[in-house]
Amino acid sequence: MTDTLTAFSGVTHLKTGTPEDVALAVARAGDARVLVFSDATGRQTDLDVSGGAEAIRARYAGEPRGRGRPKLGVTAREVTLLPRHWDWLNDQPGGASAALRRLIDAARKAPEAEMRSRRDTAYRFLAAIAGDYPGFEEASRALYAGDRPGFEARLAPWPADVAGHALKLAYG
């Protein structure tokens, strides 16, 4: 699944969508104050909007999928474990790598991990776009304390689009 992006022109929501859709909207806006964020991570990202609409479409158009498995993007790294851990992993269906991937995927899907990820995503977005707003620190503390009413109260005086997107990132 392609990561969705959200663009803001100043504090006004400009567009949420695929990289192609957002890049086209940013190009149409022509505003140097446009910030684009990944909805999956909350990190600010850059888009190349040079060359007009056709060049943008060609650059960001989704690649058609062929038959078979898509590339996994596997990265080999060293893992240091005790012999008993290697023994257990090697006894698992699919071997050590498959077992580690399953364990990691299960841990990532745990409700606590998902909530932590949502909070981190919302925080990164807010730090980039609203880090100098009054009450930013208090809003951050409420976010990480799991105090949704307190978080919403701290966001209330902020621009509606910024507050709305932060709530969407934090709580869905």
Side-chain angles (χ1 to χ4, degrees):
M1 180 176 168
T2 303
D3 183 22
T4 60
L5 303 176
T6 298
F8 280 82
S9 178
V11 295
T12 303
H13 177 261
L14 183 64
K15 179 77 175 173
T16 296
T18 65
E20 179 183 357
D21 293 339
V22 173
L24 289 168
V26 169
R28 281 191 298 272
D31 184 1
R33 293 186 38 194
V34 173
L35 298 177
V36 179
F37 299 91
S38 163
D39 291 337
T41 66
R43 289 186 171 92
Q44 192 173 342
T45 187
D46 293 324
L47 294 174
D48 182 356
V49 296
S50 63
E54 290 308 312
I56 292 169
R57 282 188 188 92
R59 192 175 301 121
Y60 292 107
E63 295 180 22
R65 284 194 134 158
R67 291 191 307 174
R69 294 175 62 188
K71 285 187 175 181
L72 294 177
V74 174
T75 303
R77 293 195 182 164
E78 183 178 331
V79 175
T80 305
L81 298 172
L82 295 172
R84 68 177 182 266
H85 299 136
W86 283 116
D87 291 342
W88 183 86
L89 283 171
N90 288 330
D91 288 341
Q92 300 307 304
S97 293
L100 285 171
R101 285 192 296 269
R102 284 192 303 272
L103 288 168
I104 290 167
D105 287 342
R108 289 179 66 205
K109 291 177 184 174
E112 304 83 29
E114 183 179 341
M115 191 65 219
R116 184 174 47 250
S117 177
R118 285 183 165 280
R119 288 176 183 158
D120 290 346
T121 298
Y123 176 80
R124 283 189 289 268
F125 164 72
L126 286 174
I129 202 166
D132 60 348
Y133 284 14
F136 171 77
E137 292 296 327
E138 292 81 3
S140 298
R141 282 193 285 278
L143 172 68
Y144 279 100
D147 178 9
R148 183 175 181 161
F151 184 57
E152 289 178 359
R154 298 321 185 282
L155 298 181
W158 296 1
D161 289 352
V162 171
H165 192 63
L167 286 167
K168 177 182 160 194
L169 293 174
Y171 300 106

